[in-house]
């Protein structure tokens, strides 16, 4: 079709030059779209299967003539086991890969700064909502695609995720290269107490429970009884920063099981014992947006980083202290949502549901 249009437009002089320019633009545009799809597909596959796949491959290599390679890696794994709990091993080279810029442009994803952050303080960012895969959280804070280091100079972001991911060979190293750390007390305590200042830990507060309610058109967060991150902030004197990602729930469609159904029962059992909840979801197909598949829909995701809440350092905060600062955080998140909702496609009547 492109070449037919090209030949039909052929003429003389400026017509030929114009046709060549149009053809080049069409080819470039199509190539960029394919690269965007590939970049997103590799991340989706990483999220879903890389850990299990790498474990099986390692076990297979142990049974082949190349077993020594697997043994050497396993020896390194034992030696390096605690590195994720000590700030990890980030790579600016990996964070600046061109593939992440194609990833960003597929949706597109945008990071909005509202206030400056002092490099003399540490921070805990509460990221909302979880969505199905937390695509906005990954792109904004585990890569440099949206310019987090330029927007917040001197601040080192650490995206916290399930500790189980760091028990998977190869996957653990891939995650650490992006500045991703386990969402457990040991890891967070180390970063906030033994890694100097200027650290920002991004915690997707709603976690697996919130992902079960992720569906297009719904803005709800699981937060009322999530207070552990506030207690951590108080113990370390780390300022709390509310973050809301408009559009995170729009990129996948999910089958929602109501409370009391067998489907919800199974999801909650998985969440309780394994740490994640299996979701039945779909996006678009690889070759067509009109078919079902694993690719997310290309809907814009805009992540707004709100105003930091100054938190005092209290070694043993009481429940009253935790409740007080938790209520301030909830109010700040709602105000952030209300201030920016109309700018990013939501009606003024939209209300953030806090569960």
């Amino acid at each position: 079709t492109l070449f037919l249009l090209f030949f039909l437009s052929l003429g003389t002089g400026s017509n030929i030059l114009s046709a060549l320019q149009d053809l080049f633009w069409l080819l470039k545009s199509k190539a960029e779209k394919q690269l965007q799809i590939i970049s997103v597909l590799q991340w989706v596959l990483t999220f879903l299967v890389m850990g299990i796949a790498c474990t099986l491959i390692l076990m297979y290599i142990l049974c082949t003539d190349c077993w020594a390679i697997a043994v050497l890696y396993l020896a390194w794994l034992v030696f390096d086991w605690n590195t994720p709990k000590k700030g990890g091993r980030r790579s600016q080279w990996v964070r600046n890969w061109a593939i992440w810029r194609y990833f960003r442009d597929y949706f597109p994803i945008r990071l909005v700064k509202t206030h400056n952050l002092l490099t003399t303080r540490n921070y805990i960012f509460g990221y909302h909502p979880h969505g199905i895969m937390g695509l906005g959280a990954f792109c904004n804070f585990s890569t440099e695609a949206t310019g987090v280091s330029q927007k917040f100079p001197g601040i080192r972001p650490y995206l916290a995720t399930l500790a189980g991911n760091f028990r998977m060979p190869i996957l653990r190293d891939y995650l650490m290269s992006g500045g991703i750390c386990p969402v457990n007390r040991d890891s967070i305590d180390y970063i906030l107490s033994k890694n100097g200042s200027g650290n920002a830990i991004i915690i997707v507060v709603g976690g697996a429970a919130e992902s079960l309610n992720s569906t297009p058109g719904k803005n709800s967060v699981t937060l009322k009884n999530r207070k552990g991150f506030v207690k951590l902030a108080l113990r370390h004197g780390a300022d709390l920063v509310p973050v809301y990602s408009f559009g995170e729930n729009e990129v996948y469609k999910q089958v929602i099981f109501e409370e009391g159904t067998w489907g919800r029962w199974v999801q909650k059992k998985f969440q309780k014992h394994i740490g994640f909840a299996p979701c039945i979801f779909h996006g678009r197909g690889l070759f067509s947006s009109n078919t079902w598949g694993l690719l997310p829909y290309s809907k814009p995701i805009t992540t707004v980083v709100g105003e930091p809440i100054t938190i005092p350092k209290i070694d043993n905060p009481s429940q009253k202290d935790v409740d007080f600062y938790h209520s301030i955080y909830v109010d700040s998140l709602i105000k952030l949502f209300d201030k920016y909702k109309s700018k990013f496609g939501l009606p003024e009547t939209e209300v953030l549901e806090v569960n």
Side-chain angles (χ1 to χ4, degrees), residues 40 43-44 47 95 100 103-112 125-148 151-152 157-160 178 180 202-204 210 214 243-252 296-297 299-305:
V40 175
W43 169 246
V44 170
F47 183 91
R95 287 175 60 89
W100 305 133
F103 182 99
R104 171 200 66 196
D105 293 339
Y106 172 84
F107 296 93
I109 295 174
R110 179 186 172 204
L111 180 65
V112 176
F125 287 18
Y127 184 92
H128 314 270
H130 183 287
I132 297 295
M133 295 186 186
L135 294 165
F138 168 76
C139 184
N140 285 307
F141 301 112
S142 293
T143 81
E144 294 296 331
T146 56
V148 63
K151 288 182 169 70
F152 300 103
Y158 293 86
L159 177 60
I180 300 177
I202 297 89
I203 300 177
V204 186
E210 193 171 83
S214 172
V243 179
Y244 197 85
S245 220
F246 295 90
E248 185 72 63
N249 285 342
E250 306 300 316
V251 296
Y252 279 111
Y297 293 104
K299 304 288 186 179
I301 299 174
T302 304
T303 302
V304 184
V305 179

Side-chain angles (χ1 to χ4, degrees), residues 27 63 97 104 111 153 162 177-178 190 218 242 249 257 277 296 342 354:
L27 290 172
C63 301
W97 277 353
R104 171 200 66 196
L111 180 65
L162 290 175
S177 69
Y190 183 91
K218 187 171 184 179
N249 285 342
F257 294 101
S342 61
V354 180

Side-chain angles (χ1 to χ4, degrees), residues 95-323:
R95 287 175 60 89
N96 281 286
W97 277 353
I99 195 171
W100 305 133
R101 294 192 289 275
Y102 289 111
F103 182 99
R104 171 200 66 196
D105 293 339
Y106 172 84
F107 296 93
I109 295 174
R110 179 186 172 204
L111 180 65
V112 176
K113 169 186 175 180
T114 63
H115 291 78
N116 292 323
L117 299 181
L118 299 175
T119 57
T120 55
R121 301 285 292 173
N122 283 323
Y123 301 90
I124 293 180
F125 287 18
Y127 184 92
H128 314 270
H130 183 287
I132 297 295
M133 295 186 186
L135 294 165
F138 168 76
C139 184
N140 285 307
F141 301 112
S142 293
T143 81
E144 294 296 331
T146 56
V148 63
S149 293
Q150 286 73 44
K151 288 182 169 70
F152 300 103
I155 301 297
R156 292 181 297 276
Y158 293 86
L159 177 60
T161 188
L162 290 175
N165 289 325
F166 296 88
R167 301 186 188 104
M168 301 284 189
I170 311 299
L171 175 64
R172 68 189 290 277
D173 301 288
Y174 189 39
L175 294 178
M176 282 195 292
S177 69
I180 300 177
C181 68
V183 62
N184 57 32
R185 180 170 172 175
D186 289 343
S187 177
I188 294 172
D189 281 347
Y190 183 91
I191 293 170
L192 294 180
S193 63
K194 298 179 181 179
N195 202 40
S197 60
N199 302 293
I201 298 178
I202 297 89
I203 300 177
V204 186
V205 178
E210 193 171 83
S211 69
L212 298 180
N213 295 317
S214 172
T215 188
K218 187 171 184 179
N219 288 282
S220 67
V221 296
T222 301
L223 184 57
K224 280 184 180 178
N225 297 315
R226 299 293 175 107
K227 300 181 180 180
F229 73 106
V230 177
K231 190 173 184 178
L232 279 169
L234 285 165
R235 288 180 63 244
H236 294 285
D239 293 348
L240 288 171
V241 182
V243 179
Y244 197 85
S245 220
F246 295 90
E248 185 72 63
N249 285 342
E250 306 300 316
V251 296
Y252 279 111
K253 295 178 181 178
Q254 180 183 190
V255 177
I256 303 293
F257 294 101
E258 298 298 329
E259 292 292 338
T261 62
W262 68 269
R264 181 63 68 137
W265 180 83
V266 169
Q267 289 175 324
K268 285 189 172 182
K269 287 295 181 183
F270 266 83
Q271 178 191 335
K272 180 179 179 180
H273 297 293
I274 301 178
F276 74 93
C279 302
I280 300 177
F281 66 92
H282 74 84
R284 52 154 289 181
L286 182 60
F287 301 106
S288 172
S289 59
N290 296 321
T291 58
W292 288 11
L294 289 176
L295 276 178
Y297 293 104
S298 53
K299 304 288 186 179
I301 299 174
T302 304
T303 302
V304 184
V305 179
E307 182 178 4
I309 303 165
T310 303
I311 302 294
K313 188 177 187 302
I314 305 175
D315 291 332
N316 294 296
S318 66
Q319 190 59 49
K320 184 178 179 181
D321 294 326
V322 173
D323 290 343

Side-chain angles (χ1 to χ4, degrees), residues 321-340:
D321 294 326
V322 173
D323 290 343
F324 175 73
Y325 285 101
H326 181 267
S327 65
I328 292 176
Y329 178 86
V330 173
D331 289 343
S332 295
L333 178 64
I334 293 173
K335 288 177 182 176
L336 179 70
F337 177 85
D338 288 340
K339 182 177 180 180
Y340 289 94

Side-chain angles (χ1 to χ4, degrees), residues 8-76:
L8 287 175
S9 64
L10 278 179
T12 59
S14 61
N15 287 340
I16 295 176
L17 180 59
S18 177
L20 286 171
Q21 289 174 337
D22 290 344
L23 179 61
F24 175 77
W25 182 86
L26 288 169
L27 290 172
K28 182 181 178 182
S29 178
K30 190 171 183 179
E32 286 185 351
K33 187 62 181 177
Q34 295 304 315
L35 287 170
Q36 290 170 11
I37 289 173
I38 291 169
S39 68
V40 175
L41 180 62
Q42 69 83 27
W43 169 246
V44 170
L45 294 177
T46 295
F47 183 91
L48 295 176
V49 302
M50 184 177 177
I52 295 173
C54 289
T55 302
L56 293 175
I57 290 171
L58 195 66
M59 291 172 63
Y60 171 75
I61 294 174
L62 279 170
C63 301
T64 68
D65 293 339
C66 298
W67 60 268
I69 297 174
V71 170
L72 284 172
Y73 179 79
L74 289 172
W76 161 254

